Structure formats: structure tokens, C-alpha cells
Amino acid sequence: CGVERIGSIRRSGWNSRGKKIVKLSLTPYNIERLMKKSTEKRKRKTMELTHFDEKGRAVMVDVTEKTVTQREAQAQGKILVSREVFTAIQAGTIGKGDVLSVAATAGIMGAKKTSELIPMCHILPLTNCKIQFELEHQECAVYCTCTVKAEEKTGVEMEALTGVSVALLTIYDMCKALDKTMEITEIYMVRKSGGKSGEIINRREEKRELDIM
């Protein structure tokens, strides 16, 4: 298999595994061309991310021309606790008070203040925010679900995720006197609807329902 020259590129045939070997001589011309391709590739990736402009600087997305639609998002997460903490939450004997009631209030407050925590989030007037808990005895876990709604030009996914996070952090805060090794984990978007992308469902939730069954 001979060697073929195309411009400054040497194509030196095939290796023992049947893969083509391409060697590029590092001439000033080739170095400049490689750097140009790399820059163009970075620009293309940056333009795919709406929170960056063409120069890679962080910006707030302009939603002026978007249509107002009914937006809804639901997020979920869980906190793994000791058997002692789990029993105390169930019985309502935690010294700081009713853990789940306080955590639900905190989650709603967190969802409403998302734009103050996440730099590029828009300030959204939410029409509804609901926090729900599910106690999983065998796993010694408290599952939290946050559902958020708004009539807006942009989605409420971040509000739902923030609501879950703050609610679970509140559970940790109220129970840390009994257990400092609690673990907040598996926070994810369950589903969202509205806007250009329409309805999106995370299939992970279906797997969890099958595991429970």
C-alpha cells in the first residue's frame, strides 16, 4: 500500500487492525488550519447552548418574541436517612417540629426564589407550586416531588428542581442532630410540558414505578 500525498497530509496506508493511518506534518500552514477548525468547532458548540453568545460569554436568553403558554414541570429527589430518623419523622417526634410540613413550605419558598439563586434564570410569577413526600420504609428514604406551573414564555424546570433541593436540604437541617450522614441523592426532572419542545417525560420514573411494584 503506497503513500499518497494530498497537500501537506501524508496518508500512509493501513495498520495491522485494518485502520487507516493518517499522519499530518506540522507545518505552519497545517498548524494554522488545525487551530481554525478547533475554533470553529468550539463556536458551533457554544451556539447550541442558549446561555452563551457567539463569543462564549454567559447571557440571559432573550424570550421577548416567545409565545406565552401553560408551562409545567415536575422534579423529584430523595434523602436517605437512618432508621432512627425515619421513625422519628413518621412519628413526628423530631425536636425542631413537623419535619415534612416545614420542608414543604421551604420547597415552595425555594421555587419562588429560583431567579435569585441561579444567575441566568428569568423571574417567573408561578401560578402553582406543590410539594409532596413519600416515605419508603424498606429503603429508609424520603422521596420529594415538586410540581410547578406558570403561564409564561419560558419553562419552569429550574423552579421544580430548586423546590425539591431546598425541601430535601430542610429535612437534613431539621434532622441532623440525630444523623449527620444523611444523603441527598437522585434529583432529576421527571417531566415537563409547554413551550416549543412540548412534553418531555423522563423514562427513569417509569423504571422506579416498576421497581416498587
Side-chain angles (χ1 to χ4, degrees), residues 28-188:
Y29 169 76
N30 279 335
I31 292 172
E32 183 181 354
R33 190 170 62 167
L34 284 171
M35 290 178 68
K36 185 177 179 181
K37 284 184 177 180
S38 178
T39 301
E40 289 174 353
K41 189 175 181 180
R42 282 200 305 272
K43 281 185 177 179
R44 284 197 299 271
K45 285 187 175 180
T46 298
M47 291 305 291
E48 292 172 3
L49 300 172
T50 56
H51 278 293
F52 293 91
D53 63 15
E54 65 280 357
K55 294 183 179 179
R57 295 175 299 197
V59 295
M60 178 181 275
V61 177
D62 187 351
V63 298
T64 306
E65 302 302 321
K66 286 191 174 183
T67 304
V68 173
T69 62
Q70 175 67 46
R71 310 277 183 155
E72 183 174 343
Q74 186 177 86
Q76 187 178 94
K78 69 179 179 181
I79 182 167
L80 302 172
V81 303
S82 67
R83 179 61 62 187
E84 181 185 10
V85 169
F86 189 85
T87 302
I89 291 174
Q90 275 189 316
T93 57
I94 296 291
K96 289 187 176 182
D98 186 339
V99 174
L100 299 185
S101 292
V102 176
T105 302
I108 292 170
M109 291 176 65
K112 293 195 295 183
K113 289 184 173 290
T114 299
S115 62
E116 297 178 25
L117 301 171
I118 312 298
M120 299 303 166
C121 276
H122 297 82
I123 301 173
L124 301 180
L126 306 182
T127 57
N128 187 254
C129 180
K130 183 183 294 184
I131 301 286
Q132 296 172 299
F133 296 104
E134 178 186 344
L135 299 176
E136 181 55 52
H137 186 270
Q138 186 175 352
E139 194 179 4
C140 248
V142 180
Y143 281 83
C144 176
T145 301
C146 179
T147 306
V148 179
K149 296 179 182 179
E151 287 277 347
E152 267 300 333
K153 294 184 176 185
T154 188
V156 289
E157 295 96 312
M158 293 309 301
E159 283 72 14
L161 288 165
T162 301
V164 165
S165 301
V166 174
L168 293 174
L169 284 168
T170 301
I171 293 175
Y172 185 97
D173 176 60
M174 295 191 72
C175 302
K176 66 182 185 291
L178 295 178
D179 180 14
K180 291 182 173 59
T181 63
M182 292 176 287
E183 182 181 343
I184 294 172
T185 183
E186 295 186 21
I187 296 175
Y188 64 97

